[in-house]
Amino acid sequence: MMSVSWLVFREVYLKIILSVLAVVAAMLVLQNSLNQLKLRSLAAEATSSRLQISASTIETAIVRAEGLGLAMDEMEGLADLLDRELSRDGSIAKISIVSPIGTPVFQSGDATLPQDEVEDMLRRIMGTRDKVTVFDAGERLYTGRLLFDSSGVVMGAVILATPTEKYLAQAQGAFAKMHLFALIIFGCVTAVLVPFILFQFSGLNSAFHALDPACLLGAKARAAMATDTTGVQSAIDAGNAEYAAAVIELDELLAEADSKKRDTLETPA
């Protein structure tokens, strides 16, 4: 009977199961996307914190020279310091020291940065009083550190650019694990929900079985119904036979009456 009920209600089952699974899948996809964004943000913050070591080293040298009365463009050995920091950390694509108006004073690195991206980065870093600014431009991550002189006036900034693929390469393993966990969760939810939905509709199956004539009548009642049906059929057959015999007899009487009538008409007066 279960197979019969499944055939009857399979459209209802399939629609409900597919609707529930679609909602679960959408929630998992959304959650996975949010987790990826959060992990990307955490990776960017961790990378920026590591790059602050190089930025702090450069700042210390600049502040020390500024205390001696030297302007940034007059500092000897600053370009060599940038080259050393660039070679020490392979994830850094370019190091720039800019003036308060964003004009480059010293640069190290051969990476070519898009002009519109550079302008957006300078607005974010130089347009705030925060000591450290992190700007994720998509393909590159910029870490800016403002430089203040002894009177607290901004005299420039140290900016480090890192390709996104450099710091996200370590997070790819975590991304793969999140995808795998999402698939496992979906499989577990499916394995639990499908039997649960079928169990919830077991009452509907019972009602369907209860309304089945074969279940409503007992064995004796079904046998009596079969016997009554046979008797009724026999009576119908007997009635049909009597009707056919009556029709034949009526036809014979009509034929005999017609014969007598013709004989009477043919006899002379």
Side-chain angles (χ1 to χ4, degrees), residues 91-253:
S91 64
I92 302 176
K94 194 167 189 176
I95 302 177
S96 302
I97 298 178
V98 298
S99 65
I101 60 174
T103 303
V105 179
F106 289 100
Q107 290 185 343
S108 179
D110 298 330
T112 302
L113 306 178
Q115 185 61 31
D116 55 345
E117 192 174 284
V118 172
E119 294 176 357
D120 193 8
M121 173 264 298
L122 289 175
R123 283 196 300 269
R124 290 174 180 267
I125 295 176
M126 305 304 296
T128 180
R129 295 291 295 182
D130 295 337
K131 181 69 174 178
V132 178
T133 302
V134 179
F135 171 50
D136 189 351
E139 295 184 1
R140 278 163 289 273
L141 176 69
Y142 294 93
T143 301
R145 187 180 183 90
L146 291 179
L147 302 174
F148 297 92
D149 59 15
S150 56
S151 60
V153 178
V154 176
M155 61 177 178
V158 180
I159 301 173
L160 300 93
T162 304
T164 303
E165 60 183 11
K166 292 286 186 180
Y167 70 87
L168 282 185
Q170 300 177 353
Q172 293 301 324
F175 288 155
K177 289 183 179 179
M178 286 194 300
H179 294 326
L180 178 61
F181 289 154
L183 292 176
I184 292 175
I185 292 173
F186 182 77
C188 293
V189 171
T190 302
V192 172
L193 277 181
V194 172
F196 179 75
I197 293 174
L198 295 178
F199 174 75
Q200 291 296 317
F201 275 85
S202 60
L204 187 60
N205 291 335
S206 300
F208 174 75
H209 296 160
L211 294 176
D212 190 351
C215 296
L216 292 175
L217 299 176
K220 293 183 178 180
R222 292 197 300 271
M225 179 180 292
T227 304
D228 293 341
T229 303
T230 303
V232 171
Q233 186 64 40
S234 300
I236 294 174
D237 294 339
N240 291 334
E242 293 179 358
Y243 174 77
V247 169
I248 293 172
E249 184 178 357
L250 179 61
D251 291 339
E252 292 177 353
L253 292 175

Side-chain angles (χ1 to χ4, degrees), residues 4-27:
V4 175
S5 63
W6 168 255
L7 292 176
V8 173
F9 298 109
R10 62 181 176 181
E11 185 175 356
V12 177
Y13 288 147
L14 291 176
K15 285 185 177 180
I16 294 177
I17 291 174
L18 292 178
S19 299
V20 173
L21 293 182
V23 172
V24 173
M27 292 177 61

Side-chain angles (χ1 to χ4, degrees), residues 51-61 145:
L51 295 180
Q52 288 302 315
I53 300 175
S54 298
S56 179
T57 301
I58 298 172
E59 179 189 21
T60 301
R145 187 180 183 90

Side-chain angles (χ1 to χ4, degrees), residues 36-77:
Q36 289 188 16
L37 292 176
K38 186 175 181 180
L39 182 59
R40 180 189 177 99
S41 177
L42 291 175
E45 292 179 3
T47 302
S48 177
S49 298
R50 180 173 53 81
L51 295 180
Q52 288 302 315
I53 300 175
S54 298
S56 179
T57 301
I58 298 172
E59 179 189 21
T60 301
I62 293 175
V63 171
R64 185 183 301 114
E66 190 271 337
L68 298 176
L70 298 175
M72 285 191 299
D73 55 355
E74 300 174 346
M75 298 178 187
E76 297 182 359

